[in-house]
Amino acid sequence: MRTSWLLSKFSFLIILYGVVHIEAFHQTHSSTFNLNQTYKPSFHFQPSKNWMNDPNGPMRYKGLYHIFYQHNPKGAIWSNNSIVWGHSVSKDLVNWFSLQHALTPTKPYDINGCWSGSVTFLSNNRPNILYTGIDKNNHQTQNLAIPKNASDPFLREWIKSPKNPIMLPNIVNKINATSFRDPTTAWIGHHDGLWRVLVGSQQKDNRGITLLFKSKDFINWIQAKYPFYSAKKIGMLECPDFFPVLINGTFGLDTSIKYDHDSIRYVLKVSLIDVSHDYYLIGTYDTIKDVYIPKNGFEQNNNELTLVIRYDYGKFYASKTFYDDAKKRRVLWGWINESSIREDDVQKGWSGIQAIPRTLWLDKLGKQLIQWPIVEIEKLRINPPVKLHSKVLKRGTLLEISGVTAAQADVEISFEVNDLEKAQALNPSWKMDPQHLCTENGSKVKETGLGPFGLLVLASKNMQEYTSIFFKVFRANKKHVVLMCSDQSRSSLNHKNDLTTYGAFVDVNPIYDELSIRTLIDHSVVESFGGQGKTCIASRVYPTLAINDNAHLHVFNNGTVDVKIEKLSAWSMKKAKINEIH
Ligand SMILES: *[C@@H]1O[C@H](CO)[C@@H](O)[C@H](O)[C@H]1NC(C)=O
Ligand SMILES: *[C@@H]1O[C@H](CO)[C@@H](O)[C@H](O)[C@H]1NC(C)=O
Ligand SMILES: *[C@@H]1O[C@H](CO)[C@@H](O)[C@H](O)[C@H]1NC(C)=O
Ligand SMILES: *[C@@H]1O[C@H](CO)[C@@H](O)[C@H](O)[C@H]1NC(C)=O
Ligand SMILES: *[C@@H]1O[C@H](CO)[C@@H](O)[C@H](O)[C@H]1NC(C)=O
Ligand SMILES: *[C@@H]1O[C@H](CO)[C@@H](O)[C@H](O)[C@H]1NC(C)=O
Ligand SMILES: *[C@@H]1O[C@H](CO)[C@@H](O)[C@H](O)[C@H]1NC(C)=O
Ligand SMILES: *[C@@H]1O[C@H](CO)[C@@H](O)[C@H](O)[C@H]1NC(C)=O
């Protein structure tokens, strides 16, 4: 198997890159290259092997963090009949210990898979799982499971309720039985004592909806007359997530917090399967009438698509948050899919990772959420970092940052730009499509003015491979528009990988604000946070040369105007202990 893979890769490279690179490829790979190990992240969550997708039911219980996840224990690809809830616990959200599967297909109502769901703490402080079961007819049902022994902080065993299934698609309102899944964490209405939960669905004509169900006892659920939220043409809406955020402050709030109109907004996140992206809305929620009014949305408004916002403009899907009562914060988990071909996933024996958990809060202007890697991940930083201060990066500069394990690093950089008048004018004929703007010229030198400048990560010695994360500043009607890109087009000599370039705008004003990027580099993961967490882009890359000690880190300025590095700190990262086999 391995030999034939290497041979085919070998001939592939002969055709594309000629003799010199083959030499390098051969030298590197004969000793250290092993598909299933080379790309394995060192500090991103994943099971010890096989397939993983959505994060499920994250919580903190009796001093331990729990994460459950969609898992196929039988192989490295998704399965339509054997998905279980994998389960791991942690004291610090960094190092994880793997436990037995929490839920496996055993009953008629979940015999074809235990799909996504959430945890809710009931008034006795016991965690209850609501999850989607795929029944023997391939219909989707919602089900309840409770801990077998609530005194056990590991919550190793779960009992499925004898009342299951507790929500069926076909009782009321003719819900599409193959589009009815992923219950949220439930919340209580303080005026009527009823629990409320959302379930994702779609109706005819491709309308995506979140259904609202209510219950007195968490077992008998009644569907509300009207959907909680719906939007035309968005297709199946999966993995809804609904939670309150403070208008003024970074602390997180419990989902069942008592409603205070003046200090809270509510976030509704939806995962759209047609485009594989997570979007969120920010709005107000009237608990009495159960009406959610988002300020932004998917609907056409005066022919203008009102703004919808993504958590992440790279790969990040089926995310879910939880309230961490220990640190009074809301934490976001999200699945980052592979970008390799199925055969390579099978060969390496695993597929799918979770993004570094992100603390999340509403920004001061209330326009968007800010996301930042949980502070605990900084424990893996090896001090002292490599540093730069007040360093001018002249046009056309490429500067290597040495002394860092470039394949396993945490890098923070901030730039100061002057000469804003030299920024390229934003051509009104361009579609305001940031991904397109990033893809058109990548990080190549063009007569564009301010930028591209930024980081060049996982670069091979002779630049046959690299991934660049960079800014470009444009002028638009006396304002400035800042574009952030993550360009994977040169990330791997293996062109069978998905090498899509990602991009998004960053809501900063370069007159006052620094332009900053933090990038977590973890072998096959490049997770970037622009503008102190305003714009996030996660990507997967599979270099064939720039691996382990052969990976290099650089800063660059390929614009035609000088910029200044205000500060750079680059840390080598330790390996976390994640679900190691004991
Ligand atoms: C799973 O997929 C296989 C192959 O496409 C199909 O034969 C089988 O019926 C599917 N099973 C379920 C439960 O959908
Ligand atoms: C429940 O868990 C606690 C704590 O781990 C343990 O002491 C107790 O023996 C368990 N009870 C049963 C019935 O297993
Ligand atoms: C039900 O959902 C499935 C996707 O799960 C879709 O293919 C089908 O068209 C839907 N049926 C109706 C009547 O909307
Ligand atoms: C926001 O909170 C800060 C400190 O908690 C307070 O000083 C300020 O007045 C608050 N602003 C608003 C608009 O409530
Ligand atoms: C998974 O990766 C493939 C290949 O890059 C991509 O087409 C697909 O949209 C991704 N799915 C998700 C959920 O991210
Ligand atoms: C991964 O690589 C190791 C070491 O070469 C090998 O023992 C193992 O069988 C491989 N696993 C898979 C799933 O290919
Ligand atoms: C790409 O480069 C061309 C040629 O220099 C230039 O005309 C165009 O404006 C650039 N596009 C972007 C989005 O920067
Ligand atoms: C900078 O531009 C040059 C010329 O277009 C190109 O060869 C080089 O790869 C670019 N550097 C980066 C980091 O993209």
Side-chain angles (χ1 to χ4, degrees):
M1 274 288 273
R2 255 184 62 74
T3 320
S4 66
W5 178 82
L6 274 178
L7 276 177
S8 69
K9 189 64 127 288
F10 212 90
S11 42
F12 172 68
L13 285 168
I14 291 173
I15 297 160
L16 274 175
Y17 299 103
V19 180
V20 179
H21 299 171
I22 290 163
E23 201 60 44
F25 185 78
H26 192 69
Q27 277 168 11
T28 314
H29 300 275
S30 52
S31 53
T32 55
F33 200 80
N34 171 332
L35 193 62
N36 69 14
Q37 291 307 316
T38 300
Y39 299 133
K40 224 173 165 55
S42 286
F43 54 88
H44 282 78
F45 182 91
Q46 63 172 175
S48 62
K49 59 179 182 182
N50 293 328
W51 168 269
M52 173 174 68
N53 53 305
D54 312 0
N56 293 149
M59 66 167 146
R60 184 171 171 277
Y61 184 68
K62 291 191 188 290
L64 284 179
Y65 292 102
H66 291 248
I67 185 70
F68 305 88
Y69 53 89
Q70 291 285 284
H71 180 48
N72 179 12
K74 294 184 178 165
I77 53 177
W78 187 77
S79 151
N80 65 357
N81 60 12
S82 60
I83 295 293
V84 305
W85 275 43
H87 183 193
S88 296
V89 290
S90 171
K91 281 184 182 161
D92 57 8
L93 288 168
V94 174
N95 299 287
W96 292 89
F97 183 82
S98 181
L99 299 174
Q100 69 195 70
H101 301 148
L103 299 170
T104 58
T106 53
K107 302 281 184 189
Y109 53 79
D110 66 11
I111 198 67
N112 281 316
C114 297
W115 285 14
S116 288
S118 306
V119 161
T120 305
F121 287 96
L122 299 197
S123 41
N124 57 7
N125 216 24
R126 299 273 165 88
N128 281 236
I129 288 176
L130 288 175
Y131 73 100
T132 299
I134 310 300
D135 77 8
K136 53 188 191 313
N137 302 317
N138 267 345
H139 289 174
Q140 302 177 359
T141 66
Q142 314 316 322
N143 303 286
L144 175 67
I146 59 167
K148 186 169 182 188
N149 178 2
S151 313
D152 171 18
F154 293 95
L155 300 170
R156 285 169 222 266
E157 289 183 79
W158 292 79
I159 300 172
K160 295 174 187 173
S161 168
K163 296 280 167 62
N164 286 342
I166 52 171
M167 290 171 229
L168 282 166
N170 48 1
I171 28 172
V172 206
N173 280 359
K174 299 188 192 118
I175 301 165
N176 185 336
T178 54
S179 304
F180 178 51
R181 56 181 178 268
D182 310 335
T184 61
T185 292
W187 69 95
I188 203 155
H190 294 283
H191 62 291
D192 60 10
L194 297 181
W195 288 101
R196 288 154 168 82
V197 74
L198 302 179
V199 180
S201 187
Q202 74 174 329
Q203 287 176 334
K204 292 193 299 282
D205 312 328
N206 232 18
R207 177 179 279 274
I209 60 173
T210 49
L211 302 166
L212 175 68
F213 285 81
K214 296 190 208 181
S215 173
K216 211 178 265 180
D217 57 7
F218 226 74
I219 289 170
N220 297 289
W221 292 86
I222 294 170
Q223 193 188 338
K225 205 164 163 192
Y226 301 104
F228 195 69
Y229 176 78
S230 85
K232 281 185 277 189
K233 294 180 191 162
I234 61 171
M236 176 59 191
L237 181 164
E238 308 185 281
C239 301
D241 193 24
F242 184 64
F243 55 90
V245 286
L246 277 177
I247 290 176
N248 182 23
T250 58
F251 284 122
L253 302 168
D254 186 272
T255 311
S256 282
I257 187 112
K258 264 202 171 134
Y259 185 62
D260 171 354
H261 197 86
D262 297 330
S263 60
I264 288 176
R265 290 287 177 269
Y266 279 83
V267 174
L268 175 65
K269 185 277 301 186
V270 299
S271 302
L272 301 187
I273 194 168
D274 288 356
V275 288
S276 298
H277 298 314
D278 279 11
Y279 296 87
Y280 65 85
L281 309 163
I282 302 169
T284 53
Y285 166 48
D286 181 334
T287 32
I288 313 270
K289 294 186 188 143
D290 276 320
V291 174
Y292 180 62
I293 303 169
K295 279 202 311 200
N296 56 333
F298 296 93
E299 305 282 5
Q300 297 272 330
N301 228 336
N302 301 327
N303 259 342
E304 230 173 81
L305 204 63
T306 43
L307 194 67
V308 285
I309 319 171
R310 278 164 61 178
Y311 277 142
D312 194 293
Y313 291 84
K315 289 202 147 181
F316 190 89
Y317 192 65
S319 64
K320 191 177 291 296
T321 61
F322 76 104
Y323 173 62
D324 173 9
D325 61 339
K327 294 216 161 133
K328 307 255 178 284
R329 60 184 169 180
R330 186 155 286 270
V331 178
L332 170 70
W333 282 91
W335 165 44
I336 307 180
N337 176 14
E338 301 300 308
S339 290
S340 43
I341 57 168
R342 194 182 159 102
E343 289 76 9
D344 283 358
D345 294 344
V346 170
Q347 170 79 23
K348 67 186 176 3
W350 56 271
S351 177
I353 62 165
Q354 301 296 330
I356 299 301
R358 302 172 181 179
T359 306
L360 157 164
W361 64 91
L362 191 63
D363 87 333
K364 286 205 186 76
L365 300 173
K367 286 197 286 191
Q368 65 170 114
L369 297 170
I370 308 293
Q371 303 164 64
W372 199 245
I374 47 152
V375 64
E376 288 89 335
I377 205 72
E378 294 170 22
K379 290 198 307 190
L380 296 176
R381 290 172 167 177
I382 297 169
N383 281 309
V386 173
K387 283 192 170 195
L388 286 179
H389 273 287
S390 290
K391 165 127 190 103
V392 174
L393 209 54
K394 291 209 170 302
R395 51 185 290 180
T397 309
L398 178 69
L399 174 67
E400 174 152 12
I401 308 297
S402 45
V404 181
T405 58
Q408 196 174 305
D410 183 355
V411 184
E412 291 194 67
I413 188 163
S414 54
F415 294 95
E416 192 187 296
V417 295
N418 296 306
D419 296 332
L420 278 163
E421 72 285 354
K422 291 186 187 150
Q424 186 188 3
L426 197 60
N427 188 334
S429 74
W430 290 339
K431 287 181 294 172
M432 282 297 271
D433 175 353
Q435 184 168 13
H436 171 78
L437 294 181
C438 288
T439 308
E440 189 162 272
N441 297 328
S443 46
K444 291 189 195 77
V445 170
K446 294 277 169 181
E447 287 306 313
T448 53
L450 215 45
F453 55 86
L455 296 170
L456 201 129
V457 309
L458 294 170
S460 62
K461 195 164 170 231
N462 299 317
M463 293 292 166
Q464 302 99 318
E465 293 179 329
Y466 59 81
T467 297
S468 48
I469 304 104
F470 58 89
F471 290 120
K472 275 187 194 178
V473 182
F474 295 97
R475 271 185 297 121
N477 304 328
K478 294 181 185 157
K479 285 192 316 190
H480 291 91
V481 173
V482 176
L483 179 71
M484 175 175 158
C485 307
S486 182
D487 180 357
Q488 282 67 239
S489 62
R490 301 282 300 267
S491 62
S492 175
L493 291 180
N494 178 357
H495 288 196
K496 288 182 191 162
N497 295 313
D498 178 352
L499 304 177
T500 304
T501 292
Y502 306 118
F505 294 118
V506 194
D507 185 29
V508 291
N509 184 342
I511 297 177
Y512 312 108
D513 302 326
E514 288 173 347
L515 301 181
S516 70
I517 302 175
R518 176 172 178 196
T519 296
L520 293 160
I521 305 153
D522 194 5
H523 300 275
S524 63
V525 194
V526 178
E527 217 181 326
S528 303
F529 300 80
Q532 295 296 311
K534 286 185 165 172
T535 300
C536 309
I537 305 180
S539 76
R540 300 301 306 278
V541 296
Y542 309 88
T544 62
L545 304 171
I547 60 171
N548 298 328
D549 294 343
N550 297 320
H552 298 262
L553 172 69
H554 304 259
V555 292
F556 76 97
N557 177 9
N558 243 357
T560 50
V561 180
D562 297 352
V563 297
K564 189 160 103 183
I565 298 177
E566 185 61 31
K567 188 175 174 189
L568 171 133
S569 304
W571 288 267
S572 298
M573 291 289 269
K574 283 179 261 187
K575 188 176 173 356
K577 283 192 165 51
I578 298 179
N579 298 326
E580 289 172 359
I581 300 163
H582 300 274

Short mmCIF file of all heavy atoms in Angstrom, two decimals, residues 80-81 112 138, ligand 1:
data_model
loop_
_atom_site.label_atom_id
_atom_site.label_comp_id
_atom_site.label_asym_id
_atom_site.label_seq_id
_atom_site.Cartn_x
_atom_site.Cartn_y
_atom_site.Cartn_z
N ASN A 80 -22.78 6.02 6.71
CA ASN A 80 -24.21 6.32 6.80
C ASN A 80 -24.94 5.43 7.80
O ASN A 80 -26.15 5.50 7.90
CB ASN A 80 -24.86 6.25 5.42
CG ASN A 80 -24.83 4.83 4.85
OD1 ASN A 80 -24.27 3.93 5.45
ND2 ASN A 80 -25.45 4.66 3.69
N ASN A 81 -24.22 4.57 8.52
CA ASN A 81 -24.95 3.75 9.50
C ASN A 81 -24.17 3.41 10.78
O ASN A 81 -24.67 2.65 11.59
CB ASN A 81 -25.44 2.46 8.83
CG ASN A 81 -24.29 1.64 8.29
OD1 ASN A 81 -23.13 1.91 8.60
ND2 ASN A 81 -24.60 0.65 7.50
N ASN A 112 -29.29 3.53 12.71
CA ASN A 112 -28.42 3.95 11.59
C ASN A 112 -27.53 5.14 11.94
O ASN A 112 -26.97 5.78 11.05
CB ASN A 112 -29.26 4.24 10.35
CG ASN A 112 -29.65 2.94 9.65
OD1 ASN A 112 -28.82 2.04 9.51
ND2 ASN A 112 -30.91 2.82 9.26
N ASN A 138 -34.41 5.31 8.07
CA ASN A 138 -33.59 6.48 7.76
C ASN A 138 -34.29 7.80 8.04
O ASN A 138 -33.98 8.84 7.46
CB ASN A 138 -33.10 6.46 6.30
CG ASN A 138 -31.74 5.82 6.20
OD1 ASN A 138 -31.05 5.65 7.21
ND2 ASN A 138 -31.35 5.45 5.00
C1 LIG B 1 -25.53 3.34 3.14
O1 LIG B 1 -24.93 3.48 1.86
C2 LIG B 1 -24.89 2.26 1.15
C3 LIG B 1 -24.08 2.48 -0.12
O2 LIG B 1 -24.50 3.65 -0.77
C4 LIG B 1 -26.31 1.81 0.86
O3 LIG B 1 -26.31 0.60 0.16
C5 LIG B 1 -27.05 1.62 2.18
O4 LIG B 1 -28.40 1.34 1.95
C6 LIG B 1 -26.96 2.89 3.01
N1 LIG B 1 -27.51 2.61 4.32
C7 LIG B 1 -28.32 3.46 4.91
C8 LIG B 1 -28.74 3.08 6.28
O5 LIG B 1 -28.69 4.49 4.39
#
